[in-house]
Amino acid sequence: MKTALIAINARYTHSSLALRYLEKYNAGFDTSVYEFSINDNIGGIYRKLLRCGADAYCFSCYIWNIELTLKIASALKLAAPECKIILGGPESGYNAERFLRRYDFIDCILKGEGEELLGRVLSSLERGEKIERFYAQEYPLDLSKIPMPYTEKDISDLNGKIVYFETSRGCPFGCSYCLSSAERGVRFFPMEYVKSGLDMFFRLGVPLVKFVDRTFNIDEDRAVEIVEYIVKNSIKTSVHFEIEAEIMTPRLIEALNAAPKGLFQLEIGIQTTNPDSLRAVNRKCDLERTRENILRLIKPGNIHVHLDLIAGLPFEDYESFRRSFNYAYSMRPDMLQLGFLKVLPGTEIAETSGIKSADFPPYEVVSTDWIDARSLASLKETEEALDLFYNGGAFKRTIEKLTDTEDPFGVFEELGGYLAKIQGNGKIKRAELYSKLYEKYLDDIKTELILDFLEFNRNIPLPPFAKREIGKDFKKRYTEALKSEAFREKYGIGDDLSVLRFERVDGRVYMVDYSKSKVYDISDEFSGIAI
């Protein structure tokens, strides 16, 4: 019996860890993995799956793919009525009753850890037995019995995609908006398993491995051991963890601070600073300790730190969210994500009064008793400005100057409204945004805009407001400077001069080295020379 294991990922660069667990755990069955992205053509996905001629189609279901999954599964059942449609994953498991009542093409839904459940269903099908429409995992699996989800061929097939890895299952916390709160407690994979997986990733040169552990640092000794192992053995593989900042210990922080630059990425959920909101979603947070630990992680500059906020939580009004934003922004993380509450079926917060949300995926908050729909829509504009001007990195000097204020949120709020006004229904190219910002703020940020433009727009002419001042001898002068060993040594200039760019604007001379992503003000090198 042929079984297709199917995932429709949120992006092309994503991959499905779940499918590979199912495949390896059930190696005795004839299974094949099929991965797509939500941007793929639905007809193309359907035709490829139909051509494979599977007896059972098993879909991994999440909020980002459930609507597409149901359409494809329905079409497959029409085309091949004898096939079995099996759904698993959080979006189907927690909606099982509703899905089974509404969609008669679904033969079976699995809820919980699916490795063993799938094997049970496939065994029944092979024996010609009737299967139930719903199966729930009644006990936690022994993680020491779960095989490595990847082979070297799997890693090769995932070239250009993110590799996901798991060293623990479960969550120690009970946040009311998270499906993980339904399963309390944490189980760990054996350390031998963890190091074996990491060794393979390092040996094969995987660019980025993302741990899907809910809280990587819940066990300090284990976390330190893994961090030190990565530092010692990784050659060019970066590793991403989700951590809880409040429980970070000096020992773990020191281990991370000692790592080479770019080796680690840390994602930290702040969510809110409103104490009433924290209590309402079953979180607690020592904000001062959290801030202190995050700043200790950020200070050396060797770790990419990503902070998360959630808008639309109970008791958080617009001004409260402003304070939460400014708290998180004041730490100047490498990335600050402004997310919006998803009221997921099966979570405790879905039963909370005072919150209105869409009844279709991703179940995003529309309004609450504390923040109205228009204010949330305004926050969407603020989110766009934050992503474009701060998280994108191409306006770093400009934004740093604009947000040198007690209310950085107000800056992004204003930029969000400005973007909505100038963009209309279309998008403005990034290179044009420098001129748009100049039109708004004029000479207050002119120098910063010029420096940002030079660094992030290699082959594009300077915008009109940054008028080039090139005398007839300018090229001759900087060509002569490049012949000077002292000059080249001072700025670390190599043999490839194509990575350099020279510009003279407002009486200043700039050299850009695109190999280092650096802009130098070299005006002093030309002092007293008419250029």
Side-chain angles (χ1 to χ4, degrees), residues 57-107:
Y57 293 95
C58 306
F59 291 89
S60 184
C61 303
Y62 295 87
I63 57 175
W64 61 79
N65 70 16
I66 188 61
E67 293 182 334
L68 192 57
T69 293
L70 290 170
K71 290 176 182 178
I72 293 168
S74 174
L76 288 170
K77 194 69 168 180
L78 282 173
E82 71 284 357
C83 78
K84 299 299 181 185
I85 301 296
I86 302 171
L87 306 185
E91 184 57 22
S92 61
Y94 287 96
N95 286 289
E97 184 178 343
R98 178 163 61 93
F99 281 10
L100 292 172
R101 186 171 59 249
R102 181 179 299 181
Y103 306 110
D104 59 4
F105 59 83
I106 299 173
D107 293 288

Short mmCIF file of all heavy atoms in Angstrom, two decimals, residues 57-107:
data_model
loop_
_atom_site.label_atom_id
_atom_site.label_comp_id
_atom_site.label_asym_id
_atom_site.label_seq_id
_atom_site.Cartn_x
_atom_site.Cartn_y
_atom_site.Cartn_z
N TYR A 57 -3.44 9.37 1.41
CA TYR A 57 -2.82 10.70 1.38
C TYR A 57 -2.90 11.27 2.79
O TYR A 57 -3.99 11.50 3.32
CB TYR A 57 -3.55 11.61 0.39
CG TYR A 57 -3.40 11.20 -1.05
CD1 TYR A 57 -4.37 10.41 -1.68
CD2 TYR A 57 -2.29 11.60 -1.79
CE1 TYR A 57 -4.24 10.03 -3.00
CE2 TYR A 57 -2.16 11.24 -3.12
CZ TYR A 57 -3.12 10.45 -3.73
OH TYR A 57 -2.98 10.08 -5.04
N CYS A 58 -1.73 11.52 3.38
CA CYS A 58 -1.66 12.00 4.77
C CYS A 58 -1.15 13.43 4.77
O CYS A 58 -0.01 13.69 4.38
CB CYS A 58 -0.74 11.11 5.59
SG CYS A 58 -1.18 9.36 5.54
N PHE A 59 -1.98 14.36 5.21
CA PHE A 59 -1.66 15.79 5.17
C PHE A 59 -1.30 16.30 6.57
O PHE A 59 -2.00 16.02 7.54
CB PHE A 59 -2.84 16.60 4.64
CG PHE A 59 -3.13 16.38 3.19
CD1 PHE A 59 -3.98 15.36 2.78
CD2 PHE A 59 -2.57 17.20 2.23
CE1 PHE A 59 -4.27 15.17 1.44
CE2 PHE A 59 -2.85 17.02 0.88
CZ PHE A 59 -3.70 16.00 0.48
N SER A 60 -0.23 17.10 6.64
CA SER A 60 0.18 17.77 7.87
C SER A 60 -0.49 19.15 7.88
O SER A 60 -0.20 19.98 7.01
CB SER A 60 1.70 17.89 7.92
OG SER A 60 2.14 18.46 9.12
N CYS A 61 -1.35 19.40 8.85
CA CYS A 61 -2.25 20.56 8.81
C CYS A 61 -1.89 21.63 9.85
O CYS A 61 -1.80 21.35 11.05
CB CYS A 61 -3.69 20.11 9.04
SG CYS A 61 -4.25 18.88 7.85
N TYR A 62 -1.75 22.88 9.36
CA TYR A 62 -1.46 24.04 10.21
C TYR A 62 -2.34 25.20 9.75
O TYR A 62 -3.00 25.13 8.71
CB TYR A 62 0.02 24.42 10.10
CG TYR A 62 0.95 23.36 10.62
CD1 TYR A 62 1.39 22.33 9.80
CD2 TYR A 62 1.38 23.38 11.95
CE1 TYR A 62 2.24 21.34 10.28
CE2 TYR A 62 2.24 22.40 12.44
CZ TYR A 62 2.66 21.38 11.60
OH TYR A 62 3.49 20.40 12.08
N ILE A 63 -2.34 26.27 10.53
CA ILE A 63 -3.22 27.40 10.19
C ILE A 63 -2.88 28.01 8.84
O ILE A 63 -3.76 28.55 8.17
CB ILE A 63 -3.22 28.49 11.29
CG1 ILE A 63 -1.81 29.02 11.55
CG2 ILE A 63 -3.88 28.00 12.55
CD1 ILE A 63 -1.79 30.18 12.52
N TRP A 64 -1.64 27.93 8.42
CA TRP A 64 -1.26 28.58 7.16
C TRP A 64 -1.64 27.74 5.93
O TRP A 64 -1.65 28.25 4.82
CB TRP A 64 0.24 28.88 7.12
CG TRP A 64 1.12 27.66 7.23
CD1 TRP A 64 1.43 26.77 6.24
CD2 TRP A 64 1.78 27.20 8.41
NE1 TRP A 64 2.24 25.78 6.73
CE2 TRP A 64 2.49 26.03 8.06
CE3 TRP A 64 1.87 27.69 9.72
CZ2 TRP A 64 3.25 25.32 8.99
CZ3 TRP A 64 2.64 26.97 10.63
CH2 TRP A 64 3.32 25.81 10.26
N ASN A 65 -1.92 26.44 6.12
CA ASN A 65 -2.16 25.62 4.94
C ASN A 65 -3.49 24.89 4.92
O ASN A 65 -3.80 24.18 3.97
CB ASN A 65 -1.03 24.60 4.75
CG ASN A 65 -1.02 23.50 5.81
OD1 ASN A 65 -1.98 23.28 6.53
ND2 ASN A 65 0.10 22.79 5.89
N ILE A 66 -4.30 25.04 5.97
CA ILE A 66 -5.48 24.18 6.10
C ILE A 66 -6.50 24.41 4.98
O ILE A 66 -7.09 23.44 4.45
CB ILE A 66 -6.16 24.35 7.49
CG1 ILE A 66 -7.26 23.30 7.69
CG2 ILE A 66 -6.67 25.76 7.68
CD1 ILE A 66 -6.79 21.88 7.65
N GLU A 67 -6.72 25.64 4.57
CA GLU A 67 -7.71 25.88 3.52
C GLU A 67 -7.26 25.26 2.20
O GLU A 67 -8.05 24.64 1.49
CB GLU A 67 -7.95 27.38 3.37
CG GLU A 67 -8.63 27.99 4.61
CD GLU A 67 -8.91 29.47 4.45
OE1 GLU A 67 -8.21 30.13 3.67
OE2 GLU A 67 -9.83 29.96 5.12
N LEU A 68 -5.99 25.42 1.88
CA LEU A 68 -5.44 24.83 0.66
C LEU A 68 -5.45 23.30 0.75
O LEU A 68 -5.80 22.61 -0.21
CB LEU A 68 -4.01 25.35 0.44
CG LEU A 68 -3.34 25.09 -0.90
CD1 LEU A 68 -4.18 25.66 -2.04
CD2 LEU A 68 -1.95 25.70 -0.91
N THR A 69 -5.11 22.79 1.92
CA THR A 69 -5.09 21.35 2.13
C THR A 69 -6.47 20.74 1.91
O THR A 69 -6.61 19.70 1.23
CB THR A 69 -4.61 21.03 3.56
OG1 THR A 69 -3.23 21.40 3.68
CG2 THR A 69 -4.77 19.56 3.89
N LEU A 70 -7.50 21.35 2.46
CA LEU A 70 -8.85 20.82 2.33
C LEU A 70 -9.32 20.82 0.88
O LEU A 70 -9.99 19.87 0.42
CB LEU A 70 -9.82 21.62 3.20
CG LEU A 70 -9.65 21.43 4.72
CD1 LEU A 70 -10.50 22.45 5.48
CD2 LEU A 70 -10.00 20.01 5.15
N LYS A 71 -8.98 21.84 0.13
CA LYS A 71 -9.36 21.88 -1.29
C LYS A 71 -8.68 20.76 -2.07
O LYS A 71 -9.32 20.08 -2.89
CB LYS A 71 -8.98 23.25 -1.88
CG LYS A 71 -9.82 24.40 -1.37
CD LYS A 71 -9.32 25.73 -1.94
CE LYS A 71 -10.14 26.90 -1.37
NZ LYS A 71 -9.63 28.20 -1.87
N ILE A 72 -7.39 20.57 -1.82
CA ILE A 72 -6.65 19.53 -2.55
C ILE A 72 -7.13 18.14 -2.14
O ILE A 72 -7.33 17.26 -2.99
CB ILE A 72 -5.14 19.68 -2.30
CG1 ILE A 72 -4.64 20.99 -2.93
CG2 ILE A 72 -4.37 18.49 -2.86
CD1 ILE A 72 -3.25 21.38 -2.50
N ALA A 73 -7.34 17.94 -0.84
CA ALA A 73 -7.80 16.64 -0.36
C ALA A 73 -9.18 16.31 -0.94
O ALA A 73 -9.45 15.16 -1.34
CB ALA A 73 -7.85 16.65 1.17
N SER A 74 -10.04 17.29 -1.02
CA SER A 74 -11.38 17.09 -1.58
C SER A 74 -11.29 16.67 -3.04
O SER A 74 -12.00 15.75 -3.50
CB SER A 74 -12.20 18.37 -1.43
OG SER A 74 -13.44 18.25 -2.09
N ALA A 75 -10.42 17.35 -3.79
CA ALA A 75 -10.26 17.04 -5.21
C ALA A 75 -9.70 15.64 -5.42
O ALA A 75 -10.12 14.90 -6.33
CB ALA A 75 -9.35 18.07 -5.87
N LEU A 76 -8.74 15.23 -4.58
CA LEU A 76 -8.17 13.88 -4.69
C LEU A 76 -9.23 12.82 -4.42
O LEU A 76 -9.27 11.78 -5.09
CB LEU A 76 -7.01 13.73 -3.70
CG LEU A 76 -5.73 14.48 -4.05
CD1 LEU A 76 -4.76 14.45 -2.87
CD2 LEU A 76 -5.07 13.88 -5.29
N LYS A 77 -10.09 13.07 -3.45
CA LYS A 77 -11.15 12.10 -3.13
C LYS A 77 -12.15 11.98 -4.29
O LYS A 77 -12.63 10.88 -4.59
CB LYS A 77 -11.87 12.53 -1.86
CG LYS A 77 -12.74 11.44 -1.25
CD LYS A 77 -11.91 10.30 -0.67
CE LYS A 77 -12.73 9.38 0.18
NZ LYS A 77 -11.94 8.28 0.74
N LEU A 78 -12.42 13.08 -4.96
CA LEU A 78 -13.32 13.03 -6.12
C LEU A 78 -12.68 12.25 -7.26
O LEU A 78 -13.34 11.45 -7.94
CB LEU A 78 -13.65 14.45 -6.59
CG LEU A 78 -14.69 15.23 -5.79
CD1 LEU A 78 -14.77 16.66 -6.29
CD2 LEU A 78 -16.06 14.56 -5.89
N ALA A 79 -11.38 12.48 -7.46
CA ALA A 79 -10.68 11.83 -8.56
C ALA A 79 -10.39 10.36 -8.29
O ALA A 79 -10.38 9.54 -9.21
CB ALA A 79 -9.36 12.56 -8.84
N ALA A 80 -10.17 10.01 -7.02
CA ALA A 80 -9.83 8.63 -6.65
C ALA A 80 -10.62 8.27 -5.40
O ALA A 80 -10.08 8.27 -4.29
CB ALA A 80 -8.32 8.50 -6.42
N PRO A 81 -11.91 7.96 -5.54
CA PRO A 81 -12.77 7.72 -4.38
C PRO A 81 -12.29 6.61 -3.45
O PRO A 81 -12.62 6.62 -2.26
CB PRO A 81 -14.11 7.34 -5.02
CG PRO A 81 -14.07 7.90 -6.40
CD PRO A 81 -12.64 7.83 -6.81
N GLU A 82 -11.48 5.68 -4.00
CA GLU A 82 -11.02 4.57 -3.17
C GLU A 82 -9.85 4.95 -2.25
O GLU A 82 -9.51 4.20 -1.33
CB GLU A 82 -10.58 3.41 -4.08
CG GLU A 82 -9.29 3.64 -4.86
CD GLU A 82 -9.44 4.58 -6.07
OE1 GLU A 82 -10.58 5.02 -6.36
OE2 GLU A 82 -8.41 4.85 -6.72
N CYS A 83 -9.22 6.11 -2.47
CA CYS A 83 -8.08 6.51 -1.64
C CYS A 83 -8.55 6.94 -0.25
O CYS A 83 -9.71 7.28 -0.05
CB CYS A 83 -7.27 7.63 -2.31
SG CYS A 83 -8.02 9.27 -2.17
N LYS A 84 -7.63 6.92 0.70
CA LYS A 84 -7.93 7.36 2.06
C LYS A 84 -7.29 8.73 2.30
O LYS A 84 -6.12 8.95 1.98
CB LYS A 84 -7.39 6.35 3.08
CG LYS A 84 -7.98 4.95 2.96
CD LYS A 84 -9.50 4.97 3.17
CE LYS A 84 -10.07 3.56 3.06
NZ LYS A 84 -11.55 3.56 3.14
N ILE A 85 -8.07 9.63 2.88
CA ILE A 85 -7.59 10.97 3.23
C ILE A 85 -7.41 11.01 4.75
O ILE A 85 -8.37 10.86 5.51
CB ILE A 85 -8.57 12.06 2.79
CG1 ILE A 85 -8.79 12.02 1.27
CG2 ILE A 85 -8.09 13.43 3.24
CD1 ILE A 85 -7.55 12.32 0.44
N ILE A 86 -6.17 11.20 5.16
CA ILE A 86 -5.82 11.22 6.59
C ILE A 86 -5.21 12.58 6.92
O ILE A 86 -4.27 13.02 6.25
CB ILE A 86 -4.83 10.09 6.93
CG1 ILE A 86 -5.44 8.73 6.56
CG2 ILE A 86 -4.45 10.13 8.41
CD1 ILE A 86 -4.47 7.57 6.67
N LEU A 87 -5.72 13.23 7.95
CA LEU A 87 -5.19 14.53 8.38
C LEU A 87 -4.55 14.39 9.75
O LEU A 87 -5.02 13.65 10.61
CB LEU A 87 -6.30 15.58 8.45
CG LEU A 87 -7.16 15.82 7.22
CD1 LEU A 87 -8.10 17.00 7.47
CD2 LEU A 87 -6.31 16.06 5.99
N GLY A 88 -3.46 15.15 9.95
CA GLY A 88 -2.82 15.22 11.25
C GLY A 88 -2.26 16.62 11.45
O GLY A 88 -2.33 17.46 10.55
N GLY A 89 -1.72 16.89 12.61
CA GLY A 89 -1.21 18.23 12.89
C GLY A 89 -2.19 19.04 13.71
O GLY A 89 -3.37 18.69 13.82
N PRO A 90 -1.75 20.15 14.30
CA PRO A 90 -2.57 20.89 15.26
C PRO A 90 -3.87 21.45 14.69
O PRO A 90 -4.89 21.47 15.37
CB PRO A 90 -1.64 22.02 15.73
CG PRO A 90 -0.57 22.11 14.69
CD PRO A 90 -0.40 20.73 14.15
N GLU A 91 -3.86 21.88 13.44
CA GLU A 91 -5.06 22.53 12.92
C GLU A 91 -6.21 21.54 12.68
O GLU A 91 -7.37 21.90 12.80
CB GLU A 91 -4.74 23.28 11.62
CG GLU A 91 -5.88 24.08 11.03
CD GLU A 91 -6.45 25.12 11.99
OE1 GLU A 91 -5.75 25.54 12.94
OE2 GLU A 91 -7.61 25.52 11.79
N SER A 92 -5.86 20.31 12.37
CA SER A 92 -6.92 19.31 12.20
C SER A 92 -7.25 18.63 13.52
O SER A 92 -8.42 18.37 13.82
CB SER A 92 -6.51 18.26 11.16
OG SER A 92 -5.33 17.57 11.57
N GLY A 93 -6.24 18.37 14.35
CA GLY A 93 -6.47 17.67 15.61
C GLY A 93 -7.40 18.42 16.54
O GLY A 93 -8.30 17.82 17.15
N TYR A 94 -7.22 19.74 16.64
CA TYR A 94 -8.04 20.53 17.56
C TYR A 94 -9.36 20.98 16.94
O TYR A 94 -10.18 21.59 17.60
CB TYR A 94 -7.24 21.72 18.08
CG TYR A 94 -6.19 21.31 19.07
CD1 TYR A 94 -4.89 21.09 18.69
CD2 TYR A 94 -6.53 21.08 20.41
CE1 TYR A 94 -3.92 20.67 19.60
CE2 TYR A 94 -5.57 20.66 21.32
CZ TYR A 94 -4.28 20.46 20.92
OH TYR A 94 -3.33 20.03 21.82
N ASN A 95 -9.53 20.66 15.64
CA ASN A 95 -10.80 20.96 14.97
C ASN A 95 -11.45 19.67 14.48
O ASN A 95 -12.31 19.72 13.59
CB ASN A 95 -10.56 21.89 13.78
CG ASN A 95 -10.26 23.32 14.19
OD1 ASN A 95 -11.13 24.03 14.66
ND2 ASN A 95 -9.01 23.73 14.03
N ALA A 96 -11.05 18.54 15.04
CA ALA A 96 -11.46 17.24 14.50
C ALA A 96 -12.98 17.09 14.42
O ALA A 96 -13.52 16.68 13.38
CB ALA A 96 -10.86 16.12 15.34
N GLU A 97 -13.67 17.40 15.48
CA GLU A 97 -15.12 17.21 15.50
C GLU A 97 -15.79 18.03 14.40
O GLU A 97 -16.66 17.53 13.66
CB GLU A 97 -15.68 17.60 16.87
CG GLU A 97 -17.17 17.34 17.01
CD GLU A 97 -17.68 17.70 18.40
OE1 GLU A 97 -16.87 17.83 19.34
OE2 GLU A 97 -18.91 17.85 18.53
N ARG A 98 -15.39 19.28 14.27
CA ARG A 98 -15.99 20.16 13.27
C ARG A 98 -15.65 19.70 11.85
O ARG A 98 -16.50 19.68 10.97
CB ARG A 98 -15.50 21.59 13.49
CG ARG A 98 -16.02 22.60 12.48
CD ARG A 98 -15.83 24.01 13.00
NE ARG A 98 -14.43 24.34 13.21
CZ ARG A 98 -13.67 24.93 12.30
NH1 ARG A 98 -14.17 25.25 11.11
NH2 ARG A 98 -12.40 25.22 12.57
N PHE A 99 -14.37 19.32 11.65
CA PHE A 99 -13.96 18.88 10.32
C PHE A 99 -14.67 17.60 9.89
O PHE A 99 -15.11 17.47 8.75
CB PHE A 99 -12.44 18.66 10.30
CG PHE A 99 -11.63 19.92 10.18
CD1 PHE A 99 -12.21 21.16 10.30
CD2 PHE A 99 -10.27 19.86 9.95
CE1 PHE A 99 -11.47 22.33 10.19
CE2 PHE A 99 -9.51 21.01 9.83
CZ PHE A 99 -10.12 22.25 9.95
N LEU A 100 -14.76 16.65 10.80
CA LEU A 100 -15.39 15.37 10.45
C LEU A 100 -16.88 15.53 10.17
O LEU A 100 -17.45 14.81 9.36
CB LEU A 100 -15.16 14.36 11.58
CG LEU A 100 -13.70 13.89 11.75
CD1 LEU A 100 -13.56 13.04 13.00
CD2 LEU A 100 -13.22 13.13 10.52
N ARG A 101 -17.49 16.48 10.85
CA ARG A 101 -18.91 16.74 10.63
C ARG A 101 -19.13 17.46 9.29
O ARG A 101 -20.11 17.20 8.58
CB ARG A 101 -19.45 17.59 11.78
CG ARG A 101 -20.96 17.81 11.73
CD ARG A 101 -21.46 18.47 13.00
NE ARG A 101 -20.85 19.76 13.24
CZ ARG A 101 -20.00 20.04 14.23
NH1 ARG A 101 -19.67 19.07 15.08
NH2 ARG A 101 -19.48 21.24 14.39
N ARG A 102 -18.19 18.34 8.93
CA ARG A 102 -18.39 19.18 7.75
C ARG A 102 -17.86 18.55 6.47
O ARG A 102 -18.42 18.76 5.39
CB ARG A 102 -17.70 20.53 7.98
CG ARG A 102 -17.86 21.51 6.83
CD ARG A 102 -17.18 22.84 7.13
NE ARG A 102 -17.73 23.50 8.30
CZ ARG A 102 -17.30 24.68 8.76
NH1 ARG A 102 -16.30 25.29 8.13
NH2 ARG A 102 -17.85 25.23 9.82
N TYR A 103 -16.78 17.76 6.53
CA TYR A 103 -16.12 17.27 5.32
C TYR A 103 -16.17 15.74 5.28
O TYR A 103 -15.38 15.07 5.95
CB TYR A 103 -14.67 17.75 5.28
CG TYR A 103 -14.52 19.25 5.42
CD1 TYR A 103 -13.97 19.82 6.57
CD2 TYR A 103 -14.95 20.11 4.40
CE1 TYR A 103 -13.84 21.19 6.70
CE2 TYR A 103 -14.82 21.48 4.52
CZ TYR A 103 -14.26 22.02 5.68
OH TYR A 103 -14.14 23.38 5.81
N ASP A 104 -17.04 15.21 4.45
CA ASP A 104 -17.18 13.76 4.41
C ASP A 104 -16.07 13.07 3.63
O ASP A 104 -15.98 11.84 3.63
CB ASP A 104 -18.55 13.37 3.84
CG ASP A 104 -18.78 13.90 2.42
OD1 ASP A 104 -17.86 14.51 1.86
OD2 ASP A 104 -19.89 13.71 1.90
N PHE A 105 -15.21 13.85 2.94
CA PHE A 105 -14.10 13.22 2.22
C PHE A 105 -12.94 12.86 3.14
O PHE A 105 -12.00 12.18 2.74
CB PHE A 105 -13.61 14.13 1.08
CG PHE A 105 -13.13 15.49 1.55
CD1 PHE A 105 -11.84 15.68 2.04
CD2 PHE A 105 -13.97 16.59 1.51
CE1 PHE A 105 -11.39 16.93 2.46
CE2 PHE A 105 -13.55 17.84 1.92
CZ PHE A 105 -12.25 18.01 2.40
N ILE A 106 -12.98 13.32 4.39
CA ILE A 106 -11.93 12.98 5.34
C ILE A 106 -12.23 11.59 5.93
O ILE A 106 -13.29 11.36 6.50
CB ILE A 106 -11.84 14.01 6.48
CG1 ILE A 106 -11.52 15.40 5.93
CG2 ILE A 106 -10.79 13.59 7.51
CD1 ILE A 106 -11.58 16.50 6.98
N ASP A 107 -11.27 10.68 5.79
CA ASP A 107 -11.45 9.33 6.32
C ASP A 107 -11.00 9.22 7.76
O ASP A 107 -11.55 8.43 8.54
CB ASP A 107 -10.68 8.32 5.47
CG ASP A 107 -11.26 8.19 4.08
OD1 ASP A 107 -12.35 7.60 3.95
OD2 ASP A 107 -10.64 8.70 3.12
#
